[in-house]
Amino acid sequence: MTSQADMQPTRKRIAVVLAAGSGRRMGGETPKQFLPLGGRTVLEHAVEAFTHHPAIDEVVIVGPAEHLTDIRRMAERNAWLKVSHIVPGGRERHESTLAALRLYEDTDVDLLFHDAARPLVSASVITRVAEALLEHEVVATALPVVDTIIESTDGRVTAYPDRSALRRMQTPQGFRRSVLRHAYALALADPSFRTTDDCGVVFRYLPGTPVHLVDGDERNMKLTYPEDIPLLERFLET
């Protein structure tokens, strides 16, 4: 029988907040992670969800190179003692992931990657990912699909997939560092490599490694368009 002591993590848990995106679809000059939301920036909400969580040992912020000084000032102002590194990311999402992976090249840690544009991630979602990493090497956060989804070509419906088997992916996504590093080593050797998330890299290049799912949260929505701000504001008030 597994005891409580047996379930305690033997590896550090590192939260990586990915904040290097330009947020072009928002349409403004200010990257969306620096926009105000409920009296704070979007980035501050995202980072503090992890700095306040007891299961997280360290936080890494990967930001735009031209805004690193601003992020460092933000960290000092908020006394984010768990923030261990603030590093520049890349133009593509996977380049930011690799920047964080390089920080722990020779260390056996668990990594939770989270989009800064999801400012309202809850403590319960973080807990579910952290606990799942005790037993699983790769963990994804997802929600069921409630709308009817179609496939189309040239403006015509070509298929109605079974939505009971479909999920909407969120972050954080959790990994044993060694597994994600191995997946990226294979991916970077592939001239046709393209990805939108890190679980997809493992799924494609390490097909024998299961991606375990935990429940997400509707409040954990991604800020993508200007009209998302009022909805996030309402979520903050509830």
Side-chain angles (χ1 to χ4, degrees):
M1 185 177 200
T2 302
S3 68
Q4 186 71 20
D6 292 332
M7 292 298 290
Q8 296 303 309
T10 58
R11 299 169 301 278
K12 275 190 174 183
R13 293 190 183 117
I14 315 299
V16 180
V17 179
L18 300 170
S22 61
R24 295 184 186 92
R25 283 174 287 186
M26 289 293 292
E29 294 184 3
T30 303
K32 60 187 175 182
Q33 58 270 35
F34 300 109
L35 292 175
L37 178 68
R40 316 199 75 185
T41 65
V42 169
L43 177 58
E44 284 175 297
H45 284 287
V47 170
E48 294 207 345
F50 293 94
T51 60
H52 290 167
H53 199 288
I56 301 302
D57 298 298
E58 296 178 22
V59 177
V60 173
I61 304 174
V62 185
E66 64 272 23
H67 289 284
L68 292 190
T69 298
D70 296 330
I71 297 174
R72 292 188 183 104
R73 289 172 181 160
M74 189 183 296
E76 292 174 4
R77 183 174 68 247
N78 289 289
W80 288 339
L81 300 181
K82 285 187 180 180
V83 173
S84 56
H85 301 280
I86 298 172
V87 297
R91 293 180 59 186
E92 301 295 333
R93 187 186 190 282
H94 74 272
E95 293 173 331
S96 294
T97 294
L98 290 169
L101 275 172
R102 284 192 288 269
L103 296 173
Y104 300 94
E105 194 65 47
D106 300 315
T107 310
D108 185 20
V109 296
D110 287 344
L111 295 162
L112 284 74
F113 288 88
H114 184 67
D115 299 325
R118 296 183 186 272
L120 302 187
V121 59
S122 67
S124 57
V125 168
I126 297 171
T127 297
R128 286 195 284 271
V129 175
E131 289 184 347
L133 281 171
L134 293 171
E135 300 182 45
H136 305 279
E137 294 181 318
V138 181
V139 179
T141 307
L143 284 173
V145 171
V146 294
D147 295 320
T148 297
I149 302 296
I150 63 167
E151 294 179 14
S152 67
T153 302
D154 298 327
R156 299 171 62 183
V157 174
T158 56
Y160 274 79
D162 180 3
R163 69 183 180 190
S164 68
L166 300 176
R167 295 293 183 271
R168 292 177 285 150
M169 296 290 273
Q170 295 186 329
T171 61
Q173 296 181 346
F175 306 87
R176 304 279 171 85
R177 184 209 60 82
S178 58
V179 172
L180 187 59
R181 190 69 191 87
H182 184 197
Y184 265 108
L186 297 173
L188 294 173
D190 179 3
S192 64
F193 168 58
R194 297 288 185 278
T195 188
T196 58
D197 76 319
D198 299 310
C199 280
V201 177
V202 174
F203 182 80
R204 179 174 179 181
Y205 293 98
L206 295 178
T209 301
V211 178
H212 179 76
L213 290 179
V214 299
D215 291 336
D217 185 340
E218 291 291 351
R219 289 167 52 95
N220 187 26
M221 63 176 285
K222 188 174 185 179
L223 173 58
T224 305
Y225 301 105
E227 54 267 30
D228 295 332
I229 290 283
L231 179 55
L232 286 166
E233 294 276 7
R234 287 197 293 273
F235 278 143
L236 270 177
E237 294 169 359
T238 58

